[in-house]
Amino acid sequence: MVLLECKDLSKKYGKKQALADVNLEIPSGRIVGLLGRNGSGKTTLIKLINNLLTPTTGEVLINGKKPGVESKNIVSYLPERTYFSRNISVKKTLEFFEDFYKDFDLKRAQKLLKDLDLDEDQRISAMSKGMQEKVQLVLVMSRRAKLYILDEPLGGVDPATRDYILDTILTNFNEKASLIISTHLISDIERILDDVVLIDKGRIVLHEEADVLRTKYKTSIDAIFRKELKNA
Amino acid sequence: MNTIENNSPVYLQIAEKLATQIFGGKLGPGAQLSSVREIALSERVNPNTVQKALGELERDGLILSRSTNGKFVTEDVELIMRRREEYAERLTKSYEKKMKDVGAEITMPKIMWLTDEQLDVLTKPEKNKERRKWFF
C-alpha cells in the first residue's frame, strides 16, 4: 500500500526553485532516509508533506488524500526546530499532546522520558537544546502514527543518545507504519534504513534500496552520498 | 567481525552471522531462531533487513519456516556440513587472496571432510554432549 505519494511536486520561493518535479512513492512498512546537503530541498519537501507549505505545482497524497486534518491524524512530524511553549513543564506538554492526538500513548512517552533521564517536572526553558530535542522526539515517537517524519532528529544529540534514539525507533515502530528520516549524519543511521532517497538541488537524484546500493557500489551509503554529490 | 559494517549489504552480513552460529553449533540442528524483531533489535538493524537475511538462509536450506511457529535450523546435518565446507572454502580463498596481495606466499591446508565419527557427534547432540565440547 502506498502511504505517501508526491506527484510532479515543485516549489518555488520567488524565483528560487527549491523543489523541482519530485515524484516519490513511499509504501507502508519502510524506513526511508531522506539524504541531501544543506539547502538541497529536504525540509521544503517535508514541509510540503505536512501541509506547512503550498506546492507551486503538483500534489502530495497521504493515504490517497490531500494533506489536511485527516493526514495530521496519521502523520507524526518532528520539525527541525522545537515548537514547545518554553514556560511550561514537560508534564504539561505531555498533556497537550494527549489532548491533541488520539493516537498519543502517554505511558510510552513517560517510559521513554524516564529511560532518557528527563524530568517531567522540569520546564522546557530550563532544558538544554539537546534535552529539548530528546523530549520532542519522545513525543513524536509516542504517537501510534502511520507515517513518522523526522527532520534532522540527530543533529543536537550526543552519540550515546543517538544509539538510544535508533533503538527507540526500531522498538516502537510498527510494521505497517513508515518512517522518513532526513539527516546528513548518514553513517549513524544507515544500517536501519530500507531505502535511500538522495536529493540534490531540489531534485531526487537517487531512490533505491540501501542494500541494493551497497551491492552496486560496494561501499557504504555515506561514501556513495559523498561521491554522488561531488560529481553532481 | 561481530559488528555490522556499513560498506557491504547489511542483509548479507546478518545472514553470514546467523550461518556462522549454525556452522559453529551455537544454533544446533532443529533449534528455533529468535524472532525477526529480536534479531533486528539486537543487531540494531531494520526488521525488513533481517527478513531478507532469513530469506537468504532459507534459500540455502539452512533454515526452514514452520507455518506460524517461526524459523528453525534444518535438521539435515549433512547439508549444514556441506554449507559449512563451502563457507570455509570461501574464507580460505579470501584469506589466500589477501595474503597474495601483501606479497606473502602461503598454501592453506585443504579443509578436511568430517569423519563418520564427527558426523555422529553432530547428529546426536544429546548423547554426545561431552564430546561436542571438545569438538567445537
Side-chain angles (χ1 to χ4, degrees), chain A residues 47-184:
Chain A
K47 283 185 173 166
L48 285 166
I49 297 167
N50 283 293
N51 207 20
L52 297 172
L53 289 173
T54 317
T56 308
T57 56
E59 64 173 351
V60 175
L61 296 173
I62 294 158
N63 232 356
K65 294 194 184 95
K66 292 207 168 186
V69 177
E70 267 181 77
S71 76
K72 286 185 184 177
N73 280 330
I74 59 167
V75 178
S76 190
Y77 165 50
L78 178 85
E80 51 174 350
R81 290 197 186 90
T82 46
Y83 53 91
F84 297 143
S85 291
R86 295 183 52 77
N87 283 318
I88 61 170
S89 64
V90 175
K91 192 177 269 167
K92 197 85 192 155
T93 312
L94 289 180
E95 284 170 20
F96 272 130
F97 257 70
E98 216 187 1
D99 246 16
F100 245 81
Y101 299 110
K102 275 183 238 140
D103 61 357
F104 186 69
D105 184 341
L106 182 64
K107 287 220 173 77
R108 181 199 269 181
Q110 288 168 331
K111 186 194 171 292
L112 293 174
L113 289 172
K114 208 168 156 236
D115 285 351
L116 284 167
D117 279 329
L118 293 163
D119 177 7
E120 278 185 43
D121 294 318
Q122 200 169 11
R123 277 191 306 166
I124 303 284
S125 57
M127 292 182 144
S128 73
K129 186 165 177 279
M131 286 162 90
Q132 290 182 25
E133 285 188 17
K134 284 184 209 171
V135 172
Q136 192 164 333
L137 188 81
V138 164
L139 290 168
V140 167
M141 290 311 294
S142 296
R143 284 184 56 197
R144 303 204 175 270
K146 284 209 172 88
L147 180 62
Y148 298 86
I149 302 178
L150 315 180
D151 196 356
E152 293 285 358
L154 305 172
V157 299
D158 56 87
T161 308
R162 260 174 229 168
D163 279 350
Y164 179 81
I165 288 170
L166 294 189
D167 285 353
T168 306
I169 291 173
L170 288 173
T171 321
N172 294 318
F173 181 66
N174 94 59
E175 283 147 45
K176 287 188 187 108
S178 275
L179 187 143
I180 299 174
I181 179 166
S182 104
T183 188
H184 48 252

Side-chain angles (χ1 to χ4, degrees), chain A residues 175-223:
Chain A
E175 283 147 45
K176 287 188 187 108
S178 275
L179 187 143
I180 299 174
I181 179 166
S182 104
T183 188
H184 48 252
L185 293 166
I186 303 169
S187 57
D188 282 330
I189 63 142
E190 65 167 83
R191 64 196 289 175
I192 73 160
L193 300 181
D194 283 304
D195 302 303
V196 170
V197 173
L198 183 56
I199 181 166
D200 191 41
K201 293 172 189 144
R203 289 176 193 276
I204 290 180
V205 288
L206 199 65
H207 181 187
E208 187 57 90
E209 264 183 58
D211 269 349
V212 171
L213 289 173
R214 290 191 191 99
T215 309
K216 193 174 155 198
Y217 292 85
K218 296 190 169 39
T219 184
S220 66
I221 304 300
D222 189 51

Side-chain angles (χ1 to χ4, degrees), chain B residues 49-66:
Chain B
T49 308
V50 175
Q51 200 69 263
K52 210 169 161 191
L54 295 179
E56 205 65 19
L57 294 174
E58 237 175 308
R59 243 191 310 285
D60 278 351
L62 283 173
I63 62 168
L64 308 163
S65 289
R66 258 186 240 155

